Amino acid sequence: MGNAIVTGSASGIGAAVREALDAEGHKVIGIDLRDAEVVGDLSTSAGRATAVGQALQAADGVVDRAVLCAGLGSHIEDLPLIASVNYFGAVEVLDALQGALERGNEPAAVVVCSNSARFGPFDEHPFVLACLDGDEAKARALVADENGFIAYAGSKHALSRAVRRRAKPFGEAGVRLNGIAPGPVETPLLQGTRDHPLYSKGFDGLDIPVGRLATPAEIADFITIMLGPRAAFMLGSIVYLDGGNDAAMLPERF
Ligand code: NAI
């Protein structure tokens, strides 16, 4: 087993991923604001560069697994911050790790997206397009006048497309890149959304056919499958792991 870099490793899904990869025997290098091998801030370009530099130093420049998990919920008042962490904090780190992943053993990366990415008219949304253009200043300015749902789900929509766009170049370089789109998972992020007077309303009547929320360990288990040899033919997939929520809301789309 080799080196695994996990962003957002201090809490929720990221903490469960770090535990699962640790149990598989990987050397896990977590990046988070606190309680991590690399304590750093992924909300700025400079913070990302410093954190990636320290993580790559700890990995001796070779990365076998990467999980881009750090994120903020729709209840966060600072909407540009949601864009900076959820989209740019994932994509910039992923791109910065590509070379080290190419030197890894059967390397694979999973980006934690969200099934909310399909719950809006996002295809041509200016905020989404600014993200995809890599224009962080423009994306931050555009999202400032929106609401938490657009900031969160729009950043996850852009992130899913960023994964799809990179699947071919990463794959041709020998790195399997996929995304996972969880539905509601019992974590502090979700609790923050549920505690918010406005965004908690999104949970009223939420249709989850399996009848419950996911645990972080369930999502982490699936991520380890996506990272490992049983998923050797999986590339560029956005896997919905949401108890049937997406199918219930959008039964005619796939
Ligand atoms: P969480 O709040 O438990 O964990 C998020 C982690 O990201 C925290 O440890 C936090 O410190 C870290 N983080 C936040 N801002 C950061 C920054 N600027 N720099 C470095 N680290 C930072 O949340 P959860 O639920 O585990 O979320 C993990 C990912 O899963 C997020 O990307 C989220 O959008 C996604 N997700 C969560 C769902 C849920 O229902 N909980 C559903 C779908 C996707």
Side-chain angles (χ1 to χ4, degrees), residues 235-246:
L235 175 67
S237 296
I238 307 292
V239 178
Y240 281 68
L241 198 66
D242 67 353
N245 181 228
D246 182 67

Side-chain angles (χ1 to χ4, degrees), residues 40-54 92 136:
D41 182 356
L42 300 179
S43 71
T44 67
S45 221
R48 290 163 209 145
T50 303
V52 168
Q54 290 178 11
E92 259 187 40
E136 187 168 1

Side-chain angles (χ1 to χ4, degrees), residues 8 10-14 31-34 40-43 69-72 85-86 112-114 152 156 182-185 187-190:
S11 176
I13 298 168
I31 303 176
D32 206 307
L33 292 168
R34 59 181 170 84
D41 182 356
L42 300 179
S43 71
C69 194
L72 296 171
V85 176
N86 289 12
V112 181
C113 306
S114 165
Y152 182 79
K156 294 296 187 174
V185 187
T187 69
L189 180 153
L190 185 74

Side-chain angles (χ1 to χ4, degrees), residues 22-106:
D22 188 58
E24 282 187 348
H26 293 281
K27 173 182 172 181
V28 182
I29 301 154
I31 303 176
D32 206 307
L33 292 168
R34 59 181 170 84
D35 300 329
E37 283 72 19
V38 175
V39 173
D41 182 356
L42 300 179
S43 71
T44 67
S45 221
R48 290 163 209 145
T50 303
V52 168
Q54 290 178 11
L56 287 178
Q57 202 170 8
D60 289 327
V62 180
V63 177
D64 306 281
R65 306 280 184 266
V67 180
L68 290 304
C69 194
L72 296 171
S74 53
H75 60 288
I76 300 296
E77 300 295 331
D78 185 341
L79 303 181
L81 185 64
I82 298 177
S84 284
V85 176
N86 289 12
Y87 183 82
F88 294 96
V91 169
E92 259 187 40
V93 172
L94 176 66
D95 287 345
L97 293 179
Q98 185 180 355
L101 280 161
E102 288 174 17
R103 291 188 285 278
N105 179 30
E106 297 181 358

